[in-house]
Amino acid sequence: MAVSCLPTPRLHSTLTPSRRPSIKSNPPLKPLKPSARTESRGLASPTSVDLNSPPTEYIPFDDHDPREQQPRTFPFVWMQTPEDPLSEPHGARRHLIIRDSLVTNPLRFRSFNAITGSPRDMVSTLKACLHVGRLDRAAAVMQRMNALYKPDAPALLAAHNEYIRQIAWKIVTGRDQHLLANLQKWFEVELRGRGVVPDADTYALMIQAILQDIDIARSNRSLRRYLHLAHEAGVQDELMNALLELLDEQDFGRVTRVTTSQPVAVAATPTPKHDFGPPTAPSNKSNKSNKAPSELPEVRPVDHTLSSLRALKQSLSVFSDPSAVASGDAPKSTPEEIVRQRDIDRQLRMEQDTYESAIEKWRSDDQQLKQRGISSALAQNSFSTMMWDWHQTLEPALQEEIKLANEAEGKDRKSQEDDERCQYGPFLQYLDPGKLSAITIVTCMTLLGTARTGDRGAAISAVVHHLGEAVQNESMAAYVKKAGGPPLRPQRLSGVRSLTAQLRRQTKGVFTMTDDLPDPFNQGLKGYRWSEPVKARIGAILLSKLIDSAKVRVFRKDPSTGETLEMSQPAFVHRFQYGYGRRIGMISMNGAMYDRLAKEPLATSLEQKYLPMLVPPKPWTGFQEGGFLTSSQPLVRIHWSNVQNRNYCMVAAESGDLSQICAGLDVLSKTPWQINGPVFEVVLEAWNTGKAAGSIVPEDDELELPSEPAVKDKAAYTNYLRELRRIRNLKQDHKSERCFQNFQIEIARAYLQETFYFPHNVDFRGRAYPIPPFLNYMGADLCRGLLTFGVGKELGAAGLRWLKIHLANVFGYDKASFEERVSFVDDHRREIYDSASKPLDGQGWWLQAEDPWQCLAACKELRNALESPDPQAFVSKLAIHQDGTCNGLQHYAALGGDSMGARQVNLEPGDRPSDIYTGVAELVQAGVTEDARQGSELAQALEGRISRKVVKQTVMTNVYGVTMLGGAFQVRRKLRELYPDFPQTDAVNSYQAGFYLAKKIFKALANMFNGAHDI
C-alpha cells in the first residue's frame, strides 16, 4: 500500500561532533578522492582560478578541518557540484571552465543501504524510484541526500521538489488521504525541519496536494498557512505563476477565493493549448496535390525492403488510420485547436512506437514464413525471424532480472549482488521488458551490423555506452509522458489572465506571469541525464543478457562425409584485443551472420523515429534539450568517445555561449515545409515503371558478373577477382540506393497533404543540418525536387528573375553571368513549357539537366507563374538554393588578405563566377601532363581523367584538416566511381593514383592561396 511508501519522519536536533552517532549505527561515508595527477588537471582554465583547491561549500569527513578555526556541525554535507543535474544553471563567464568533476571520475560514496555513487547518481536513482513507484526507496535516497548536502544547496531543494511533485501527483490521481498526511509531515520534518527553505514550486506542489483533502475546513487552513509562508518568503508572485501551470480552473478559483475572500470568475475563452508557432498560411494550389494519398497508386516496393517498409508504414500509419491516434478533443476547442492537438498526438505516436514497430516487424515476418510451411531452422536465414527468436528469449530473461531486483529490495541483509541489483533495478523498470529487449537487439545490430564495423566488431565500451544512451532516451520520454502532470487546458489562458489582473488589483502587489504557455515536454527533461556509470551499468546488464540469449544456427558440411551439420552457436562473440598498450574488450557477431549480411540488408527501424515533425520542434534550451518532443538529440554532433569536446559544449551551453546558435537553429526548425504534389505524382509514376528517370535508380542494374578465366593464370585470376569484387560492390550500391529512394518516396507519399518541420542541430564546425535522415532539403536531387516551403511569398520583379536564375543553375548553366542565365531560360521557354506539361511523354528536356527533379519543379513553378494574370504577384513556395564557393577557403582567404585566393572563391565581384574546383583541376592536369611527357606510366593513365569532380571533395575538406591519407582515399573513391575501367595493375592502379593526385591537389592549393596557406 502507499501508506508504507512514506516513513513517518522523526525530528532530529543538530548534533555537534562530540555527539556524533556511532559508526556502527550510521557510518559516515568517505569520498573516494581522485589522485593528485587527476586533481591537477583542468581544461581551458584561466590561471587566476584555482581549480585544485576544494570548493568552498565542501566540508571534509574529518573531525577537524585545518582550514577552519572551529569544527563544523554534523551531519556532514556534500557541496553542490557543477555536474549536479538539479543545480542552478551557471552564469555567463568569460572563460569556459571544466572542473575536474567533469574531466575525471567524480567523487563517489561507499554503499550504505544499497545507496551509492556520486550525487548525480543519487538524483538519477531518485527519479527512477519515483517513476516506477518505489516511494520507500525514494524516501531513503532523499534522507541520504539530506545528510550529504548543505540545507541551502539548490540541488537539495530541487530534489525535494521532484520528490514532492510525484507524491502530489499520486495524491491528485488517487486522493490518498494517508499519503497526504505523510507528505505534510515530510514537508515539516524532512524539509523545513532540516533547514531547507522552500521556494514557490514547493509551496505550489503542497497546495496542489492539500486541495485533495476531503476535510474542506482543514484544507483551507493548510492553504492559508502555505500562502502565508510564501508571502513571508517573498515568493507570492512566483507561487501564483506556478499554480497557473498546476491547477485547473476550479482549484485555481478556490485558491483565489481563499486569497481574496471573494470569488473571481474565470472566463472560458478558447486559446491554443500549446505554443507551437503561428498557424500555417493557406497553401498555394500550384504546389498542392489534388489527390489524397489514398487515391494515388501504391509505391512499388523493392523486394529487399518488404519487411522494412512494413515497419516504416506502421510508423506512418498515423497519417492514414484515424484510430491510430486517440481522440481527446476538448468540447470547447475550436477546429484549429483540434487540428493542432491532433498533430501533437500524431507526432508523439511516431516518436514513441519505433521499437514496437520493430517487434511487430519481427513477429509478422516469422508468422509469414511459418504460414508458408518453412521450418524454424530455415526461417532463421532471415534476420527478422532470428531477432524475433532472440526477443522471445531475452524478454523473459529481463523479466526475471527485474523480479530478482525487486526481491533484493526486500532483503534485510544484502549481498554484493543484491546491492548492485538494488542500484540498477529501478532504471530497468522505466520501460517494460519487451521494449527493453527490442532496444537491446536493435541497438546492438545497428552498431555491429554496419559495413563500418565489419567483422572486427566494436569495443564493448562503445556498445555499452550506446545501449545505456538508448535506454536513457526512451526512459526520459516515458518519464515525461507519465510525470508531466495535467496540461494547461486550451480555454484557460485568457480567463486566467483576467483573473490575475484582478488579483494584482486586489492584492496591490506586482503580479507578473509569462505570456508563453508552459511546454509539458520540457518539464522534467532539462538537466535530467543519467551519469556515465549508471548508463554503463544498464548497458552492461542488457548486453550480457543478450549474449546469453541470442543464438544463431550454423550449417557446415562434414569434409569426410559431405553431410550438412547443424549447430547452435552464440550470435555474439566476446573477445579481447590489444591496442595502445592495453587490453580492450571487443564484441562482434558470429561469422555466419556476416555472411548473411552480404545477402540481406539489415533494417533495424532505428532511424524511423527521426521523421519530419508535424509540429514545430522544441526550442533548444540546453545541450540535450530541443528538437523532437520526446526523443533526445545533442545540440552538437560529437562522437560519444570525444569526452573533452562534449564537456566543452555542455559547459558552453549551460553558460549561454551557444544562445545565438540555438536561436538560429530554432528559426530553421520552425520553417514549415510541404511536399510538391505535382512533382510527386511524376516521381511516383516514373518509379512504378521500374525504369531510370532523372536521378531515380532503375530496377534492373544491367550489370553482368565477369566470367571466370578458363586458363589458370595467376595474373588473369587476380584481375578476375578484382573485377568480380568491383561489380558486386556496384550491384550492392545500386540496390542500397534504390532501397533508400523507396523509403524517401514512401515518406513523401505519407506527408503529401501535411505541413511539417525539420529539427536541426550543428556539427563541430557550427554548420546546421536537419536531423531527419531520409527526406530533407539538404538531400540529393530527388529530395530537393519533392520539397517546397509551407508558406509562400509573392515573387515580385526580383523573385521572378531569381526563379529564372535558379532554373538555369539546376540545369547546369551556372558558370555564366546572371543576365546570361536569365536569357538562357527565356530562350528555352518552349522546352520549359513542354517539360512542365508533359514531363514523361514530351521532349524530356528536363531530363538533360544536372539536377533533373529540381529542374522539373522549377519548370512547373515558372510555367504557373507566367500563366498567372500577374507573374510578379504569383505566390511561390519553391526553395531557391544558394551556396558559397568553398566556405572554408573563403574564410582563410579573407583572414590571410589573399586577393588571388579571394578571386578564386568569389569574394571579389566579377561578371562571371569563379570555380575554384575547376581551377585546381586545371593546375593538377597541367602537372599530370608534364609528368606524362617525362614518361610516367601512372600520369599517362590519368591523362584526360582529371575533372572538377575528382578534386572537389579533397579541396573542400582541405581546410578542415584532411590528411594526405584521407585525401588519397577520397580521390581513389571518386576515380573508381567515375572511371570503372581505370587500370588495376601492379604498376598503375587507383590506390597509387589517389596518393599521386592528392599531392598534386595540396600543391595546387598552396600555390593558389598563398596568404591562406601561411595561416
Side-chain angles (χ1 to χ4, degrees):
M1 295 178 62
V3 176
S4 62
C5 295
L6 276 172
T8 302
R10 52 191 177 88
L11 294 172
H12 298 280
S13 60
T14 303
L15 303 176
T16 61
S18 61
R19 298 190 59 187
R20 182 184 304 169
S22 63
I23 294 178
K24 293 182 179 179
S25 61
N26 190 9
L29 304 179
K30 291 190 175 183
L32 305 178
K33 296 182 179 180
S35 64
R37 178 181 63 83
T38 57
E39 278 194 25
S40 63
R41 188 189 312 170
L43 300 180
S45 307
T47 56
S48 59
V49 180
D50 183 8
L51 296 183
N52 301 324
S53 61
T56 55
E57 293 185 5
Y58 174 60
I59 303 175
F61 283 82
D62 297 324
D63 289 341
H64 179 70
D65 181 5
R67 298 172 297 160
E68 304 285 342
Q69 295 296 328
Q70 298 293 334
R72 295 185 183 261
T73 57
F74 184 83
F76 293 116
V77 297
W78 177 247
M79 66 164 224
Q80 171 199 352
T81 62
E83 67 157 355
D84 289 337
L86 294 175
S87 62
E88 293 292 328
H90 298 287
R93 301 186 181 94
R94 171 179 290 183
H95 304 281
L96 289 183
I97 302 175
I98 302 179
R99 292 188 179 273
D100 287 342
S101 59
L102 287 177
V103 181
T104 61
N105 292 328
L107 295 179
R108 302 173 63 82
F109 298 99
R110 295 191 179 94
S111 176
F112 178 76
N113 194 22
I115 300 174
T116 186
S118 67
R120 182 177 180 182
D121 293 340
M122 293 184 188
V123 172
S124 298
T125 303
L126 171 67
K127 285 179 174 283
C129 293
L130 290 171
H131 178 79
V132 302
R134 299 305 303 264
L135 300 186
D136 49 352
R137 182 164 177 79
V141 173
M142 278 306 312
Q143 290 171 340
R144 197 77 202 113
M145 293 184 70
N146 272 337
L148 298 175
Y149 277 81
K150 280 186 175 181
D152 59 349
L156 180 59
L157 175 60
H160 273 288
N161 285 347
E162 188 67 29
Y163 180 73
I164 295 174
R165 186 189 310 277
Q166 299 303 318
I167 304 300
W169 184 239
K170 289 183 178 295
I171 294 172
V172 170
T173 55
R175 300 184 69 86
D176 190 325
Q177 301 301 299
H178 196 92
L179 191 60
L180 174 60
N182 278 347
L183 178 61
Q184 290 179 287
K185 292 179 182 178
W186 180 277
F187 176 81
E188 300 295 340
V189 178
E190 294 293 336
L191 197 146
R192 297 185 73 234
R194 290 184 176 271
V196 181
V197 179
D199 63 2
D201 289 336
T202 315
Y203 290 119
L205 293 168
M206 292 302 300
I207 290 174
Q208 182 191 32
I210 58 99
L211 288 176
Q212 311 305 316
D213 195 337
I214 59 177
D215 188 334
I216 301 299
R218 182 174 59 195
S219 175
N220 287 339
R221 287 195 302 271
S222 300
L223 176 57
R224 291 190 184 95
R225 180 172 182 272
Y226 293 138
L227 290 173
H228 176 71
L229 290 174
H231 179 73
E232 286 186 339
V235 295
Q236 183 178 5
D237 294 345
E238 293 85 350
L239 170 61
M240 300 308 293
N241 275 326
L243 289 175
L244 286 174
E245 300 183 11
L246 287 175
L247 306 181
D248 57 17
E249 294 89 344
Q250 182 178 357
D251 287 341
F252 192 82
R254 181 180 167 188
V255 174
T256 305
R257 289 191 293 271
V258 172
T259 304
T260 62
S261 301
Q262 64 182 44
V264 180
V266 178
T269 304
T271 56
K273 177 174 181 181
H274 299 292
D275 186 12
F276 282 106
T280 304
S283 300
N284 180 14
K285 292 183 179 180
S286 65
N287 293 110
K288 289 275 287 188
S289 175
N290 295 325
K291 300 179 181 178
S294 58
E295 300 173 352
L296 292 171
E298 292 289 333
V299 180
R300 182 175 179 174
V302 179
D303 293 340
H304 301 284
T305 63
L306 289 176
S307 58
S308 302
L309 279 176
R310 281 194 295 270
L312 176 64
K313 287 183 177 181
Q314 182 175 343
S315 298
L316 297 173
S317 63
V318 295
F319 296 97
S320 57
D321 183 8
S323 63
V325 179
S327 176
D329 302 335
K332 297 182 181 180
S333 299
T334 64
E336 292 79 7
E337 294 164 7
I338 294 175
V339 171
R340 182 168 296 185
Q341 184 59 41
R342 181 168 173 266
D343 288 342
I344 294 173
D345 294 339
R346 290 193 297 168
Q347 178 62 34
L348 289 172
R349 172 66 186 273
M350 282 197 302
E351 292 184 21
Q352 293 172 357
D353 66 356
T354 301
Y355 294 103
E356 289 82 352
S357 299
I359 296 174
E360 182 59 32
K361 170 179 174 291
W362 302 338
R363 181 189 296 112
S364 173
D365 289 353
D366 183 71
Q367 290 177 351
Q368 287 187 4
L369 290 175
K370 289 181 178 178
Q371 289 174 358
R372 297 184 210 167
I374 299 176
S375 64
S376 58
L378 294 177
Q380 268 222 342
N381 287 325
S382 167
F383 273 117
S384 292
T385 55
M386 183 166 54
M387 288 189 282
W388 172 245
D389 289 344
W390 297 351
H391 176 71
Q392 288 182 306
T393 307
L394 181 58
E395 183 178 4
L398 294 176
Q399 289 175 343
E400 181 64 22
E401 185 64 31
I402 294 174
K403 179 182 177 182
L404 293 175
N406 290 333
E407 292 175 352
E409 288 278 4
K411 294 181 180 180
D412 295 331
R413 302 190 63 177
K414 298 180 176 64
S415 64
Q416 182 178 356
E417 187 176 9
D418 292 333
D419 276 353
E420 292 178 357
R421 283 198 169 105
C422 289
Q423 292 166 20
Y424 65 70
F427 296 94
L428 289 179
Q429 297 179 58
Y430 268 105
L431 308 170
D432 63 84
K435 194 165 190 176
L436 280 175
S437 172
I439 291 173
T440 305
I441 295 172
V442 168
T443 304
C444 289
M445 290 298 292
T446 302
L447 288 174
L448 301 175
T450 60
R452 181 179 177 182
T453 303
D455 55 7
R456 304 185 310 274
I460 288 181
S461 59
V463 179
V464 165
H465 169 85
H466 282 281
L467 269 177
E469 188 79 17
V471 175
Q472 173 195 245
N473 292 340
E474 292 298 318
S475 299
M476 288 170 62
Y479 179 88
V480 174
K481 182 179 179 181
K482 181 177 180 180
L488 191 65
R489 288 171 173 78
Q491 296 83 17
R492 288 190 58 200
L493 190 58
S494 61
V496 167
R497 282 174 176 151
S498 63
L499 184 149
T500 53
Q502 185 172 349
L503 269 177
R504 186 184 298 110
R505 292 192 298 270
Q506 293 173 352
T507 59
K508 297 181 181 180
V510 182
F511 184 80
T512 59
M513 71 169 291
T514 177
D515 290 332
D516 295 328
L517 291 168
D519 184 359
F521 306 107
N522 273 329
Q523 299 292 333
L525 263 180
K526 190 170 184 178
Y528 177 35
R529 307 294 300 175
W530 296 353
S531 66
E532 289 301 323
V534 170
K535 289 189 287 189
R537 192 177 293 121
I538 298 301
I541 189 65
L542 293 177
L543 181 59
S544 65
K545 295 297 179 183
L546 178 64
I547 292 175
D548 294 339
S549 304
K551 306 294 180 182
V552 59
R553 288 187 174 89
V554 180
F555 301 90
R556 295 288 185 268
K557 285 188 177 182
D558 189 327
S560 57
T561 64
E563 181 183 359
T564 301
L565 303 177
E566 176 188 351
M567 64 188 72
S568 179
Q569 294 182 355
F572 299 95
V573 181
H574 177 207
R575 56 187 175 80
F576 294 96
Q577 74 177 30
Y578 289 88
Y580 302 101
R582 57 192 178 96
R583 191 171 70 162
I584 303 173
M586 303 292 292
I587 185 170
S588 59
M589 293 194 301
N590 191 295
M593 296 179 62
Y594 286 110
D595 293 339
R596 295 178 187 177
L597 274 176
K599 303 175 183 177
E600 178 186 358
L602 179 63
T604 59
S605 308
L606 186 60
E607 292 181 324
Q608 291 172 16
K609 68 190 303 180
Y610 302 129
L611 293 170
M613 297 182 64
L614 296 173
V615 295
K618 290 189 305 182
W620 284 101
T621 58
F623 185 73
Q624 293 281 166
E625 290 81 38
F628 291 99
L629 301 187
T630 59
S631 302
S632 177
Q633 285 287 309
L635 173 65
V636 184
R637 301 184 179 194
I638 300 176
H639 193 268
W640 71 270
S641 62
N642 196 338
V643 179
Q644 178 173 320
N645 282 355
R646 187 180 185 88
N647 286 339
Y648 270 122
C649 291
M650 291 176 66
V651 174
E654 292 172 2
S655 304
D657 294 342
L658 302 182
S659 58
Q660 289 187 345
I661 291 179
C662 293
L665 291 176
D666 292 341
V667 172
L668 291 173
S669 300
K670 291 183 179 180
T671 302
W673 293 84
Q674 291 178 345
I675 297 297
N676 193 324
V679 173
F680 175 78
E681 293 179 13
V682 179
V683 169
L684 183 60
E685 182 180 354
W687 172 268
N688 285 342
T689 63
K691 299 179 181 179
S695 54
I696 290 181
V697 178
E699 192 171 34
D700 186 4
D701 56 33
E702 298 181 354
L703 293 172
E704 298 292 338
L705 294 176
S707 302
E708 185 174 354
V711 181
K712 298 297 182 180
D713 179 67
K714 181 179 180 180
Y717 196 75
T718 300
N719 291 334
Y720 158 75
L721 292 178
R722 184 183 292 115
E723 181 66 11
L724 179 64
R725 182 167 58 251
R726 187 183 69 85
I727 295 298
R728 284 179 174 175
N729 289 339
L730 289 175
K731 282 181 169 289
Q732 185 63 39
D733 293 343
H734 178 278
K735 181 172 64 176
S736 299
E737 190 172 356
R738 184 164 176 86
C739 291
F740 193 74
Q741 289 180 347
N742 196 171
F743 273 65
Q744 291 174 328
I745 298 173
E746 196 68 57
I747 294 171
R749 186 179 187 273
Y751 282 83
L752 189 57
Q753 294 187 329
E754 304 288 342
T755 297
F756 49 90
Y757 306 83
F758 298 113
H760 290 68
N761 58 6
V762 297
D763 63 5
F764 72 98
R765 303 168 295 180
R767 180 169 293 186
Y769 291 94
I771 298 177
F774 292 114
L775 185 69
N776 63 67
Y777 64 87
M778 291 185 70
D781 171 55
L782 180 61
C783 289
R784 298 188 181 193
L786 285 171
L787 293 174
T788 65
F789 288 123
V791 179
K793 284 187 177 182
E794 291 186 359
L795 282 175
L800 184 61
R801 176 173 179 267
W802 274 106
L803 178 58
K804 294 179 179 180
I805 293 173
H806 170 70
L807 176 52
N809 289 342
V810 295
F811 189 83
Y813 192 74
D814 57 346
K815 300 301 183 286
S817 66
F818 288 149
E819 296 305 323
E820 289 174 339
R821 290 181 235 183
V822 172
S823 299
F824 171 83
V825 171
D826 291 337
D827 294 341
H828 290 83
R829 182 173 297 187
R830 179 177 300 178
E831 290 85 351
I832 292 171
Y833 271 62
D834 179 79
S835 298
S837 304
K838 299 180 291 183
L840 298 180
D841 302 325
Q843 301 174 11
W845 179 79
W846 65 279
L847 292 172
Q848 305 170 25
E850 186 174 305
D851 298 308
W853 291 109
Q854 295 179 74
C855 181
L856 178 62
C859 288
K860 287 181 174 290
E861 194 79 356
L862 182 60
R863 188 269 315 264
N864 294 337
L866 295 178
E867 290 183 349
S868 65
D870 183 1
Q872 295 186 14
F874 178 77
V875 178
S876 175
K877 295 183 179 180
L878 193 69
I880 306 299
H881 291 269
Q882 295 185 354
D883 193 10
T885 305
C886 197
N887 303 119
L889 282 174
Q890 284 180 332
H891 282 81
Y892 274 108
L895 289 171
D898 191 340
S899 58
M900 178 182 176
R903 287 192 296 272
Q904 294 292 333
V905 291
N906 295 305
L907 286 183
E908 291 190 355
D911 294 336
R912 299 173 182 274
S914 298
D915 185 9
I916 177 63
Y917 309 114
T918 300
V920 171
E922 289 175 353
L923 286 179
V924 172
Q925 181 61 62
V928 170
T929 302
E930 179 62 26
D931 291 344
R933 187 179 300 112
Q934 296 179 7
S936 171
E937 188 176 351
L938 180 59
Q940 292 172 357
L942 288 169
E943 278 274 48
R945 301 178 189 263
I946 310 301
S947 64
R948 69 187 304 272
K949 290 185 177 181
V950 172
V951 305
K952 182 177 180 179
Q953 186 178 13
T954 307
V955 172
M956 283 194 302
T957 56
N958 178 266
V959 293
Y960 300 119
V962 67
T963 63
M964 181 63 68
L965 181 63
F969 176 78
Q970 294 169 349
V971 173
R972 181 168 67 252
R973 182 174 56 188
K974 187 60 65 174
L975 283 175
R976 289 179 176 178
E977 176 185 329
L978 297 176
Y979 307 108
D981 58 341
F982 190 80
Q984 298 294 336
T985 64
D986 293 339
V988 177
N989 54 65
S990 58
Y991 182 84
Q992 293 177 337
F995 278 99
Y996 174 76
L997 291 181
K999 294 178 182 178
K1000 296 285 186 183
I1001 294 172
F1002 283 19
K1003 182 178 179 181
L1005 286 172
N1007 293 332
M1008 296 176 68
F1009 293 85
N1010 294 322
H1013 185 263
D1014 293 340
I1015 296 178

